[in-house]
């Protein structure tokens, strides 16, 4: 149900366009669905369609401006999102963004992982190095700023953990209240504890993520709360800047492949939108292929492409220890499909043991990430074996969350009981030599020295 009070305005140079029927709008109902066909909106910049509008955005001038802002101390310049504000829907005159200096994340070389995957050069863009330790902050700064501009007192999201942590932080920073709906017992303590400290009203519902989304969609039709799930197109605008920042770090030389985990599919859609826009504006000469990796137990998008040629997505009951991507009915699948198609990327799925192994391998490069992010390396290994990624190709993995986001997973892995009592128990035996469980010793020097000697001897045999 849409009512007149349920309107969110869009600033002039940016409009909303429905990805289903193409309807244009300057405001959306609180559920961010098209009133004509119920599909999702995307932000669209009419001026970019005209030669004069494109001339105003000269690639060389944009690149120089963005570089110059790196030495500025203005809040909108220290943000790694708003620094690229020419590509974002603008806030109204006199409004300032809610920012925690998000973005500005490192691009790491991953030599150990490159060797393991069979490519010459591999890098990881670590979005887990954001203020609340996941990529969600880059979208939250934009969408929360629009929520405050529109005068909302409450913001809300359904989440597998990271969105809630991020939303709660930006709401607190912007002096708004926040409502979090999370699946009971299915998110890590690391994420839940953040939402609590940032002061969110946190409800653990006896359902999964998809059930939380269903409930929240009804809540926003009844109460004036601003929806901060990734159906909100302003979130994706912020998230897209990670790709712009990446290309700047690569001196505007696109990699051959960008590999992204897929859950609700907002992030792959956002990064893909940025790639297409950068190409359209002449900021890059060619498109990287964007590939999406899902967990086998939460693979509705993989199935939609393999079994239904990308025309339909059949929701499923999702199950994976990579809880951040434990999603059976992804909202943004049509947007993600367009990106895969336009960039000629691939979709792939990986098993639970493959995810655990890849996570440890990313850790062994001194980087680390949460389980959902590790699907990227596990997926890359498969894409190399299939010949889709060539040894000489330049590849960038998008690591979406920090290693401390899910410490239970990591401890169980190293103690060797991550898969105890599951169907993966036998397969996981092969991971034993990657485990580094803590050793419990007597408090004397001999015990520690003996241990060191044992490890030295083992190392010398390798
Ligand atoms: N990686 C991490 C660490 C995530 O938290 C998520 C999603 C994804 C990948 C998948 O991104 O949904 O845009 O395809 N987390 C959500 C949440 C859904 O509620 O925090 P996506």
């Amino acid at each position: 149900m849409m009512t007149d009070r349920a309107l969110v305005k869009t600033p002039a140079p940016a409009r909303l366009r429905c990805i289903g029927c193409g309807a244009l709008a300057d405001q959306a109902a609180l559920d961010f669905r098209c009133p004509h066909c119920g599909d999702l909106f995307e932000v669209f910049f009419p001026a970019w369609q005209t030669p004069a509008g494109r001339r105003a955005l000269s690639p060389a001038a944009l690149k120089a401006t963005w570089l110059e802002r790196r030495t500025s101390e203005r809040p909108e310049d220290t943000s790694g999102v708003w620094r690229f504000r020419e590509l974002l829907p603008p806030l109204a005159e006199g409004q300032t963004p809610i920012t925690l200096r998000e973005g500005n994340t490192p691009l790491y070389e991953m030599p150990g992982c490159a060797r393991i995957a069979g490519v010459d050069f591999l890098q990881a863009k670590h979005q887990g190095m954001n203020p609340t330790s996941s990529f969600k902050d880059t979208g939250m700064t934009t969408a929360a700023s629009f929520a405050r501009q529109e005068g909302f007192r409450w913001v809300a999201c359904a989440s597998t953990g990271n969105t809630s942590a991020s939303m709660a932080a930006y709401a607190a920073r912007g002096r708004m209240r926040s409502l979090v709906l999370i699946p009971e017992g299915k998110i890590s303590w690391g994420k839940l504890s953040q939402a609590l400290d940032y002061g969110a009203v946190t409800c653990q519902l006896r359902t999964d993520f998809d059930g939380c989304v269903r409930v929240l969609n009804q809540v926003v039709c009844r109460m004036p709360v601003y929806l901060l799930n990734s159906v909100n197109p302003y979130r994706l605008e912020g998230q897209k800047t990670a790709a712009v920042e990446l290309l700047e770090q690569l001196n505007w030389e696109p990699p051959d492949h960008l590999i992204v985990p897929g859950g609700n599919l907002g992030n792959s859609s956002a990064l893909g939108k940025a790639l297409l826009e950068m190409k359209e504006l002449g900021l890059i000469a060619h498109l990287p292929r964007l590939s999406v990796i899902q967990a086998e137990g939460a693979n509705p998008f993989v199935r939609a492409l393999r079994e239904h040629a990308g025309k339909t997505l059949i929701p499923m009951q999702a199950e994976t220890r990579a809880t951040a991507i434990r999603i059976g009915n992804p909202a943004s699948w049509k947007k993600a499909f367009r990106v895969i198609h336009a960039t000629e990327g691939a979709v792939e799925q990986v098993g639970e043991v493959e995810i655990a192994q890849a996570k440890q391998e990313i850790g062994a490069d001194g980087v680390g990430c949460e389980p959902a992010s590790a699907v990227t390396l596990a997926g890359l290994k498969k894409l190399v074996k299939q010949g889709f990624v060539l040894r000489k190709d330049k590849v960038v993995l998008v690591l979406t969350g920090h290693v401390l986001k899910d410490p239970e997973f990591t401890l169980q892995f190293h103690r060797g009981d991550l898969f105890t009592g599951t169907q993966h128990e036998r397969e996981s035996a092969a991971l034993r030599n990657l485990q580094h469980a803590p050793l419990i010793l007597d408090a004397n020097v001999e015990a520690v020295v003996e241990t060191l000697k044992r490890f030295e001897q083992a190392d010398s045999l390798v």
Side-chain angles (χ1 to χ4, degrees):
M1 250 195 8
M2 289 149 201
T3 61
D4 276 343
R5 71 170 169 73
L7 295 175
V8 181
K9 286 191 222 77
T10 304
R15 301 196 73 189
L16 298 177
R17 180 169 59 192
C18 171
I19 62 159
C21 67
L24 291 174
D26 291 313
Q27 49 202 357
L30 279 183
D31 63 357
F32 287 102
R33 294 274 170 182
C34 172
H36 307 294
C37 72
D39 224 321
L40 296 182
F41 282 114
E42 63 181 352
V43 172
F44 152 81
F45 300 88
W48 297 5
Q49 311 306 312
T50 67
R54 273 211 291 273
R55 263 198 309 279
L57 289 172
S58 131
L62 281 177
K63 290 175 186 177
T65 303
W66 294 336
L67 262 190
E68 213 176 282
R69 287 179 186 153
R70 278 167 51 172
T71 54
S72 155
E73 279 302 314
R74 291 175 57 190
E76 59 273 41
D77 293 340
T78 56
S79 162
V81 171
W82 294 97
R83 188 158 70 83
F84 302 105
R85 53 191 170 271
E86 286 75 10
L87 305 186
L88 297 176
L91 288 168
E93 200 59 34
Q95 291 281 329
T96 48
I98 305 170
T99 171
L100 291 164
R101 297 193 175 207
E102 53 290 318
N104 300 311
T105 58
L107 179 64
Y108 293 122
E109 282 182 32
M110 305 293 289
C113 293
R115 246 189 332 273
I116 290 166
V119 291
D120 291 335
F121 194 61
L122 178 64
Q123 288 172 300
K125 173 78 173 154
H126 206 325
Q127 292 297 92
M129 298 298 182
N130 267 292
T132 76
S133 303
S134 85
F135 72 96
K136 305 287 180 178
D137 296 340
T138 52
M140 223 39 94
T141 182
T142 43
S145 298
F146 282 108
R148 186 173 67 175
Q149 171 172 304
E150 296 306 321
F152 282 88
R153 279 195 56 236
W154 281 88
V155 293
C157 72
S159 178
T160 57
N162 281 320
T163 302
S164 59
S166 178
M167 179 188 77
Y170 282 81
R173 197 76 187 158
R175 300 283 171 259
M176 293 180 286
R177 301 297 313 277
S178 60
L179 170 73
V180 159
L181 302 187
I182 46 173
E184 195 202 5
K186 295 292 181 190
I187 78 166
S188 75
W189 296 116
K191 296 167 191 174
L192 175 61
S193 57
Q194 285 180 290
L196 303 183
D197 249 13
Y198 299 135
V201 174
T202 305
C203 306
Q204 295 182 273
L205 304 192
R206 291 187 201 92
T207 178
D208 54 11
F209 169 80
D210 301 294
C212 292
V213 170
R214 265 196 310 279
V215 172
L216 186 59
N217 281 337
Q218 291 167 27
V219 172
V220 297
C221 292
R222 306 245 312 251
M223 299 293 288
V225 296
Y226 188 88
L227 182 62
L228 278 177
N229 275 99
S230 55
V231 292
N232 181 321
Y234 302 107
R235 260 200 50 203
L236 300 197
E237 288 304 293
Q239 278 175 217
K240 83 182 182 187
T241 60
V244 185
E245 185 178 271
L246 167 68
L247 265 298
E248 185 187 62
Q249 286 166 317
L250 293 171
N251 207 13
W252 304 103
E253 197 48 61
D256 298 296
H257 293 273
L258 191 60
I259 303 193
V260 187
N264 215 16
L265 297 169
N267 201 34
S268 34
S269 303
L271 298 173
K273 184 171 192 279
L275 297 177
L276 296 169
E277 289 178 354
M278 283 190 281
K279 175 79 172 37
E280 185 187 348
L281 293 173
L283 289 159
I284 54 174
H286 60 93
L287 287 171
R289 291 176 194 260
L290 188 145
S291 295
V292 173
I293 316 295
Q294 295 201 295
E296 268 169 18
N299 65 350
F301 189 53
V302 174
R303 286 158 65 166
L305 269 80
R306 292 196 181 157
E307 295 164 23
H308 305 284
K311 291 195 170 63
T312 354
L313 180 136
I314 316 259
M316 65 183 287
Q317 184 72 42
E319 198 45 78
T320 169
R321 284 297 303 260
T323 51
I325 52 171
R326 191 172 176 275
I327 295 173
N329 189 13
S332 294
W333 71 272
K334 286 186 195 165
K335 290 185 180 180
F337 176 65
R338 276 192 328 194
V339 165
I340 299 286
H341 186 71
T343 68
E344 298 178 10
V347 293
E348 193 45 85
Q349 59 186 358
V350 291
E352 295 294 299
V353 175
E354 291 173 304
I355 296 172
Q357 176 168 353
K359 178 169 135 46
Q360 205 286 320
E361 289 161 348
I362 291 167
D365 257 334
V367 171
C369 66
E370 73 162 281
S373 312
V375 301
T376 54
L377 176 62
L380 171 63
K381 291 184 207 172
K382 286 196 159 169
L383 295 177
V384 171
K385 283 206 183 93
Q386 293 158 10
F388 181 77
V389 175
L390 305 177
R391 172 170 279 282
K392 64 165 184 45
D393 286 348
K394 291 208 165 62
V395 184
V396 177
L397 308 179
V398 178
L399 302 182
T400 45
H402 196 277
V403 67
L404 294 177
K405 279 288 188 176
D406 199 345
E408 304 101 292
F409 183 103
T410 311
L411 282 175
Q412 285 187 354
F413 175 85
H414 289 289
R415 288 185 181 140
D417 52 16
L418 185 62
F419 297 110
T420 307
T422 73
Q423 56 176 329
H424 309 294
E425 195 163 349
R426 276 185 62 186
E427 189 193 347
S428 68
L431 302 181
R432 210 156 290 146
N433 62 347
L434 297 177
Q435 291 161 357
H436 312 287
L439 307 167
I440 299 171
L441 303 177
D442 286 334
N444 68 57
V445 66
E446 278 314 313
V448 178
V449 167
E450 273 316 304
T451 305
L452 268 181
K453 283 186 178 161
R454 228 171 357 100
F455 275 88
E456 267 218 325
Q457 204 175 15
D459 284 354
S460 67
L461 298 176
V462 178

